[in-house]
Amino acid sequence: KVLSDIDDTFYANLKDDRYPKKTVYPGVKDFYAELDKGGAAQEDSGGDLMFLSARPYDRAGAAEHLTHSTLEKAGVREATVLSGDFAHLIGNKLISDKKFDNWSQVRQLYPEYGSGFIGDSGQGDAIFGARAAATPGTDMKKVFIHNVTGLSPAERTEFASKAVAIFDTYVGAGTEAYRSGLISKAGLLRIAASAERELAQVPFTNPELRAAREQDLARDLAAMRAALR
């Protein structure tokens, strides 16, 4: 199961001011797709994308419907959404606790599956990811955390020691997934192609922000090429 956060993981929304608000991150949809396929010679069947949201569930289903509508408009048409609740809405620790509960339920429902998680550094996702990776008998194959808060090299190293990979672009995330055997070489190249294409289409109003994001991508593309040698 490919498990993902939404805000600042799928699109820029809360704490990420590096992109225009509501920008779907370049390469993220292909990253989901390649993780869903897996890294084996024979691709897995699709349909295993699930979003773990901190947004509270309501009985009428309005919030969940809005989330599905937002995802569909952004090009994600087949995904399950597991919502949070008001009791776990405030504070990174409570948010991470709810996501851990949701992940535990997924493990019970699909004991034959492994899982990977994609989140961001802004709302407790790294706490959840480290806890899931350290759980006895865990099926968490990899935790990817989008760096939207400017984590330092020391913080990156600390998270890496907890089996949490910090990334700046989805090419960087893809390279980590390739090194871990979770996606294929062809899949990584597809992520890179879409990330380059989609970054060029982002409507930046600040040339300095565009240049900075292009520099991030260029750095991760160079690291990707080195990994493929």
Side-chain angles (χ1 to χ4, degrees):
K1 294 297 180 180
V2 180
L3 310 175
S4 178
D5 180 51
I6 299 175
D7 296 312
D8 292 342
T9 301
F10 177 66
Y11 60 24
N13 194 35
L14 297 178
K15 297 189 178 182
D16 192 357
D17 57 4
R18 302 171 306 153
Y19 289 86
K21 292 301 181 185
K22 304 299 183 183
T23 296
V24 175
Y25 291 112
V28 62
K29 289 185 285 186
D30 280 81
F31 183 67
Y32 291 156
E34 297 304 330
L35 278 181
D36 202 350
K37 293 174 185 175
Q42 183 175 350
E43 296 179 353
D44 291 343
S45 58
D48 292 319
L49 176 59
M50 307 179 80
F51 287 94
L52 304 183
S53 175
R55 302 173 184 181
Y57 170 81
D58 61 282
R59 295 198 175 200
E64 191 168 317
H65 176 75
L66 179 60
T67 299
H68 274 291
S69 178
T70 300
L71 292 170
E72 288 177 4
K73 288 178 181 176
V76 176
R77 294 177 175 79
E78 292 187 14
T80 301
V81 176
L82 299 179
S83 301
D85 56 42
F86 285 104
H88 293 83
L89 185 59
I90 305 299
N92 287 347
K93 176 63 167 59
L94 291 178
I95 290 173
S96 70
D97 285 347
K98 181 57 180 175
K99 289 186 176 181
F100 188 89
D101 290 344
N102 282 342
W103 173 66
S104 299
Q105 292 176 29
V106 170
R107 294 182 71 197
Q108 292 176 9
L109 288 170
Y110 303 99
E112 72 278 19
Y113 279 78
S115 57
F117 176 67
I118 310 100
D120 67 86
S121 60
Q123 268 199 320
D125 290 340
I127 298 173
F128 155 67
R131 182 181 176 190
T135 298
T138 186
D139 59 8
M140 183 63 75
K141 303 298 184 183
K142 195 76 176 179
V143 176
F144 305 89
I145 295 296
H146 190 201
N147 181 20
V148 300
T149 57
L151 294 172
S152 68
E155 289 172 316
R156 288 171 178 260
T157 299
E158 182 181 357
F159 279 122
S161 71
K162 299 176 181 178
V164 175
I166 306 297
F167 68 93
D168 297 299
T169 76
Y170 275 93
V171 172
T175 301
E176 286 291 336
Y178 171 73
R179 287 172 174 154
S180 300
L182 299 177
I183 66 173
S184 66
K185 176 180 179 179
L188 176 55
L189 293 174
R190 283 190 288 267
I191 293 168
S194 68
E196 288 188 276
R197 181 179 64 254
E198 292 166 8
L199 180 60
Q201 297 169 352
V202 174
F204 288 102
T205 57
N206 185 328
E208 293 182 358
L209 283 179
R210 176 179 290 281
R213 300 295 73 75
E214 290 173 346
Q215 185 176 19
D216 289 343
L217 184 59
R219 183 193 63 243
D220 282 353
L221 285 169
M224 178 197 76
R225 295 185 187 104
L228 292 176
R229 287 174 188 163

